């Protein structure tokens, strides 16, 4: 209590003292000066108290940012390649020959042939044995690409279907040409794995549930779309054993690979059955929550997609579910970029089916040869043993390949433009990603776009390039009988193509 009383007493004395001071000022100083003094004392108090009522004052202006951090006043023009001009000068054949001929020499045995053409006019600018039939290796995939784009169309997709089976409790998985199926969910943004078995199984379970299906479900496999031998007898046993190719079926996971990330080594020898067993496993997992059970094992039942109808007539059974592949153009691009033999052979057989031929190797080679001719390539001397280029019995000339590239780049059939993105780019992508890195070829990096071809004694490079004057040139160089493993041969091809990229050959 004493402490409280003492504090209040001191406050009272301070209050009286302040009042006395003001009163003294009032009696001793004129009223005008008193008013002025009070105003001077009040201004600082207002400045201290006012922010509590009106908020903080405006912040100090930020220091000006450097020009490179400020928003642009205008949008810069995009930096893109200028369109090709028809007025760009056509190189002189003598000048092109002088540039290319000394570079195109073998490292050891064998010979190179080659052709360079102006893409717009077709004028031949360089020709060394260009009409001679050669083993082309994977350059053959260019012919297969043209055939697929012409017959199937760049926007076509292959459907993998699940149909109601010929007997109660059966479903039929039908291969429709998609060998890039994934095991999991569909990945619409991808080419490999665009359609997935897990997605197909989930859709099939939904359809079975809607149909009030009960009991055990048996999966059958229909892979009858392809006929004839699954392995081409023209392929060397060593190439099959090394995983360069595998038996052909109209459906497969990962282009008939065990693992999509592993492109070498052993492959499934029955890719269709491996895909069907994966589907059955996914169906079993998806159906568990819906009260459906799936029988163990898958039975192959070619032709099971056609079930007996009323009065003995044959009728197409109901489609329970289906998933679709990436487009033909997207698959062609992948095939050319990574030089996928299995995908190329599949494209050839699907081309055969689309033209009314059997889905066999013979049907594929006949269809690809015919479509090359229809695209404007003089095809009477073309000899095909397969459509991926693995067989040594293929014979195609450098002139024919230059004509094929010309048809893709500037020909009248715009469907063939679907193959343009598939050409590997020197030093950047696909099978050319590790080339064009030395001093002699760096000038072609990012400029040379070409399909490679490699067998033990065969090297090929066919593609296109814009020269230093802005002229589009197409070319094909093919080496046969080469010394196996001689590093100078690839360098010769790359240096010749680089010379074209830098050519102001006037």
């Amino acid at each position: 209590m004493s402490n409280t009383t003492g504090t209040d007493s001191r406050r009272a004395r301070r209050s009286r003292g302040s009042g006395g001071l003001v009163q003294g000022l009032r009696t001793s100083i004129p009223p005008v000066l008193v008013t002025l003094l009070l105003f001077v004392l009040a201004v600082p108090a207002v400045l201290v108290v006012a922010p509590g009522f009106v908020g903080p004052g405006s912040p100090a202006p930020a220091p000006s940012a450097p020009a490179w951090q400020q928003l642009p006043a205008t949008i810069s023009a995009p930096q893109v390649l200028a369109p090709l001009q028809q007025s760009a000068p056509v190189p002189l054949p003598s000048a092109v020959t002088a540039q290319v001929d000394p570079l195109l020499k073998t490292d050891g045995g064998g010979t190179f042939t080659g052709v360079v053409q102006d893409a717009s006019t077709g004028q031949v600018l360089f020709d060394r044995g260009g009409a001679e039939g050669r083993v082309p290796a994977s350059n053959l995939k260019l012919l297969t690409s043209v055939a697929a784009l012409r017959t199937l169309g760049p926007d076509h997709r292959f459907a993998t279907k699940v149909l109601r089976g010929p007997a109660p409790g059966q479903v039929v998985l039908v291969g429709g040409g998609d060998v890039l199926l994934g095991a999991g969910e569909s990945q619409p943004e991808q080419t490999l794995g665009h359609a997935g078995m897990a997605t197909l199984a989930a859709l099939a379970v939904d359809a079975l549930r809607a149909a009030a299906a009960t009991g055990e479900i048996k999966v059958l496999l229909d892979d009858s779309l392809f006929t004839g031998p699954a392995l081409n007898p023209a392929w060397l046993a060593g190439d099959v054993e090394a995983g360069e190719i595998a038996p052909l079926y109209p459906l497969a996971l990962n282009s008939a690979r065990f693992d999509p990330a592993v492109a070498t080594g052993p492959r499934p020898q029955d890719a269709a059955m491996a895909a069907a067993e994966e589907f059955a496993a996914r169906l079993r997992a998806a159906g568990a929550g819906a009260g459906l059970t799936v029988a163990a094992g898958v039975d192959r039942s070619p032709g099971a997609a056609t079930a007996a109808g009323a009065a003995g007539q044959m009728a197409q059974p109901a489609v329970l579910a289906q998933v679709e592949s990436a487009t033909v153009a997207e698959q062609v691009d992948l095939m050319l970029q990574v030089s996928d033999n299995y995908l190329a052979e599949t494209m050839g057989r699907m081309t055969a089916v689309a033209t009314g031929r059997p889905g066999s190797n013979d049907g594929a080679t006949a269809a690809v040869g015919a479509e090359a001719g229809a695209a404007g390539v003089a095809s009477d001397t073309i000899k095909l043993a397969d459509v991926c280029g693995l067989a040594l019995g293929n014979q195609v000339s450098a002139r024919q390949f230059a004509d094929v590239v010309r048809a893709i780049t500037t020909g009248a059939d715009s469907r063939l433009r679907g193959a343009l993105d598939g050409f590997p780019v020197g030093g950047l992508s696909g099978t050319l990603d590790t080339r064009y890195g030395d001093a002699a070829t760096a000038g072609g990096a990012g400029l040379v776009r070409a399909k490679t071809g490699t067998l033990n004694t065969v090297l090929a490079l066919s593609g296109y390039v814009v020269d230093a004057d802005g002229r589009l040139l197409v070319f094909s160089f093919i080496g046969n009988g080469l010394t196996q493993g001689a590093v100078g041969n690839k360098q010769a091809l790359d240096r010749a193509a680089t010379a074209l990229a830098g050519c102001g050959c006037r």
Side-chain angles (χ1 to χ4, degrees), residues 100 287 364 421 448:
V100 173
D421 287 345
V448 174

Side-chain angles (χ1 to χ4, degrees), residues 103-137:
L103 301 174
L104 203 61
K105 57 184 179 181
T106 62
D107 181 2
T111 57
F112 280 120
T113 60
V115 167
V116 179
Q117 288 180 273
D118 177 64
S120 179
T121 65
Q123 180 182 353
V124 176
L125 307 175
F126 170 78
D127 188 342
R128 183 201 289 178
E132 180 184 334
R134 308 284 273 179
V135 180

Side-chain angles (χ1 to χ4, degrees), residues 135-154:
V135 180
S138 285
N139 272 205
L140 187 53
K141 294 180 176 71
L142 292 171
L143 296 183
T144 304
S145 298
V146 164
L149 290 167
R150 281 182 51 82
T151 58
L152 298 164

Side-chain angles (χ1 to χ4, degrees), residues 107-110 112 135-138 235-240 242 244 389-392 453-460 479-487 489-490 493:
D107 181 2
F112 280 120
V135 180
S138 285
W235 293 330
L236 298 177
D239 288 334
V240 177
E244 294 292 339
L390 196 58
L392 294 173
T454 306
L455 294 173
N456 286 340
T457 61
V458 176
L459 286 175
N480 277 189
L482 303 175
T483 300
Q484 185 174 344
V487 297
N489 290 318
K490 279 186 180 179
L493 294 177

Side-chain angles (χ1 to χ4, degrees), residues 31-422:
V32 173
L33 293 178
V34 171
T35 302
L36 180 61
L37 179 60
L38 291 174
F39 176 77
V40 171
L41 293 172
V43 169
V46 171
L47 294 176
V48 172
V49 175
F53 294 94
V54 299
S58 300
S64 179
W68 61 271
Q69 289 183 340
Q70 297 181 17
L71 292 174
T74 59
I75 302 299
S76 301
Q79 299 297 309
V80 296
L81 292 175
L84 296 176
Q85 300 295 327
Q86 289 297 320
S87 60
V90 178
L92 293 174
S94 58
V96 174
T97 298
Q99 290 280 343
V100 173
D101 199 54
L103 301 174
L104 203 61
K105 57 184 179 181
T106 62
D107 181 2
T111 57
F112 280 120
T113 60
V115 167
V116 179
Q117 288 180 273
D118 177 64
S120 179
T121 65
Q123 180 182 353
V124 176
L125 307 175
F126 170 78
D127 188 342
R128 183 201 289 178
E132 180 184 334
R134 308 284 273 179
V135 180
S138 285
N139 272 205
L140 187 53
K141 294 180 176 71
L142 292 171
L143 296 183
T144 304
S145 298
V146 164
L149 290 167
R150 281 182 51 82
T151 58
L152 298 164
D155 297 325
H156 182 74
R157 300 175 187 270
F158 305 135
T160 304
K161 300 179 180 180
V162 179
L163 306 183
R164 194 178 301 281
Q170 293 180 337
V171 297
V172 185
L173 177 66
V174 183
D178 187 358
V179 296
L180 302 180
L181 290 161
E185 300 290 335
S186 296
Q187 301 181 64
E189 73 286 356
Q190 302 292 330
T191 301
L192 182 64
H194 185 92
M197 283 301 191
T199 298
L200 182 61
L203 293 172
V205 166
D206 290 343
L208 290 168
R209 181 190 297 169
T214 59
E216 191 174 61
I217 305 298
K218 178 66 176 179
V219 176
L220 305 178
L221 168 64
D222 180 1
D223 58 357
S224 60
L225 186 62
F226 289 175
T227 59
L231 271 178
N232 189 333
W235 293 330
L236 298 177
D239 288 334
V240 177
E241 293 168 2
E244 294 292 339
I245 194 66
L248 265 291
Y249 295 94
L251 75 163
L253 299 174
N254 312 316
S255 198
R257 294 285 187 191
F258 289 112
D259 184 336
V262 180
T264 58
R267 308 176 75 141
Q269 295 304 294
D270 191 339
M273 184 58 71
E277 289 171 348
E278 181 66 33
F279 169 74
R282 298 285 180 166
L283 188 68
R284 186 174 297 110
L292 297 175
T293 59
V294 176
V298 176
D299 291 340
R300 183 174 262 112
S301 184
T306 303
Q313 299 297 314
M314 304 304 287
Q316 185 70 26
V319 177
L320 297 175
Q322 74 174 45
V323 289
E324 293 188 335
S325 71
T327 66
V328 166
E330 290 167 334
Q331 294 191 59
V332 162
D333 288 347
L334 177 63
M335 176 183 74
L336 294 177
Q337 281 284 327
V338 302
S339 203
D340 190 318
N341 292 324
Y342 199 92
L343 183 55
E345 289 296 324
T346 300
M347 283 291 179
R349 294 193 182 207
M350 293 306 293
T351 296
V353 172
T355 57
R357 295 178 173 89
S360 63
N361 181 70
D362 289 345
T365 55
V368 169
E371 293 304 317
V377 179
S379 58
D380 54 320
T381 59
I382 291 177
K383 297 179 181 178
L384 300 182
D386 67 10
V387 295
C388 71
L390 196 58
L392 294 173
N394 297 309
Q395 291 284 297
V396 187
S397 71
R399 176 59 187 266
Q400 288 163 332
F401 278 119
D403 286 342
V404 167
V405 178
R406 186 171 171 237
I408 292 171
T409 56
T410 59
D413 191 344
S414 61
R415 294 173 297 180
L416 304 188
R417 306 290 185 271
L420 283 174
D421 287 345

